[in-house]
Amino acid sequence: YITKTPGYEKYDEGYDSSECYGTIVAGREDTYELLTALFDSWCSRFSGKFVHVGLDESPHMGLSHIRRNGKESFDAAAVFAAHCNRLHAILKHMNRRMIMWGDMLYYFPAAIEKLDRDIIVADWYYYSFDRTPCVEVFNFSEIDLTGDLKKAGFEVWGIPSVWPNYPFPDIADRLANIRSWWNYGRERGIDGIINTDWENSFGFFCAAELLFATFGCM
């Protein structure tokens, strides 16, 4: 949202093309000055050990560089990993542990070996599956990201979801998503499961959360 705010447009990957992608430019020093201020604002108001920085669904990363210098000069895995590590260093200085979404590592698997091992990766997948998540953007091919991350020494949290939930979630389907993560996560040795909630219907929000909290306790 911040790149849509007057005065902050220059931080967007689409700025010099009159587009707004909502993806911040990685690698620029003023980007990290801005993010340091944002993280400090958050950490000064909220206690806790963790800060989740997002980093999901960023297909526009590097477009400003590519427009200026050509695609051949852009190493996406290296840039993404360096950006993650820079954010990690900022938060570590603030005595917080960084959490990031893992989906961009589908596209840049070479970034995994370049990432700081103290980063927690939240591997989200919102469908049920038999053995391994079948990733939509790869024609539902099986991708064992959690397994790769655990082998590389990362702490990984599996992320199912109450989604979609209009007007009320399909309980059997959502439980199947959680069960898939339970079985897959146990086999891969993941460090925890967090059930998320997206696009909530306010009329049923509390009822859905109480229901799944009950299932969780059982």
Side-chain angles (χ1 to χ4, degrees):
Y1 295 101
I2 194 167
T3 60
K4 294 181 180 178
T5 303
Y8 294 91
E9 301 92 342
K10 67 177 182 177
Y11 295 98
D12 195 276
E13 281 283 9
Y15 177 61
D16 58 3
S17 67
S18 300
E19 298 285 344
C20 182
Y21 296 126
T23 298
I24 206 162
V25 180
R28 280 180 19 179
E29 196 58 35
D30 57 351
T31 291
Y32 302 108
E33 293 171 3
L34 171 65
L35 292 175
T36 298
L38 288 174
F39 293 162
D40 182 65
S41 177
W42 177 270
C43 291
S44 67
R45 290 167 171 80
F46 296 93
S47 61
K49 297 187 294 183
F50 309 105
V51 171
H52 198 310
V53 300
L55 296 174
D56 60 319
E57 299 180 319
S58 305
H60 301 104
M61 187 192 74
L63 287 186
S64 58
H65 174 93
I66 291 169
R67 283 193 298 271
R68 293 192 305 270
N69 306 293
K71 188 174 183 179
E72 297 74 18
S73 66
F74 184 67
D75 185 339
V79 170
F80 185 71
H83 182 62
C84 295
N85 291 341
R86 187 70 183 270
L87 301 188
H88 174 243
I90 294 169
L91 286 169
K92 195 170 184 178
H93 184 71
M94 298 178 184
N95 296 314
R96 299 298 175 100
R97 186 105 181 261
M98 178 176 132
I99 309 167
M100 60 175 281
W101 292 125
D103 59 291
M104 292 306 293
L105 299 173
Y106 294 147
Y107 305 95
F108 314 134
I112 293 175
E113 65 181 26
K114 303 176 188 297
L115 291 176
D116 293 338
R117 293 302 187 269
D118 195 40
I119 295 171
I120 298 170
V121 182
D123 188 11
W124 60 272
Y125 189 79
Y126 302 151
Y127 305 97
S128 60
F129 54 94
D130 294 327
R131 296 171 302 179
T132 308
C134 302
V135 179
E136 189 172 9
V137 294
F138 292 98
N139 295 319
F140 290 98
S141 298
E142 291 189 351
I143 297 182
D144 187 18
L145 178 61
T146 284
D148 292 340
L149 289 165
K150 289 303 299 179
K151 289 176 185 176
F154 286 93
E155 181 172 337
V156 181
W157 297 353
I159 313 294
S161 178
V162 183
W163 169 89
N165 62 4
Y166 287 115
F168 197 77
D170 182 328
I171 300 301
D173 179 67
R174 294 301 83 206
L175 278 176
N177 182 215
I178 296 172
R179 188 177 298 112
S180 294
W181 269 108
W182 177 265
N183 294 328
Y184 172 60
R186 182 171 50 191
E187 291 177 356
R188 299 303 187 277
I190 63 172
D191 302 277
I193 293 177
I194 296 181
N195 196 34
T196 60
D197 192 357
W198 305 95
E199 302 172 2
N200 68 75
S201 168
F202 288 108
F204 293 97
F205 175 75
C206 292
E209 292 304 305
L210 288 171
L211 182 62
F212 276 89
T214 301
F215 285 138
C217 291
M218 292 167 62

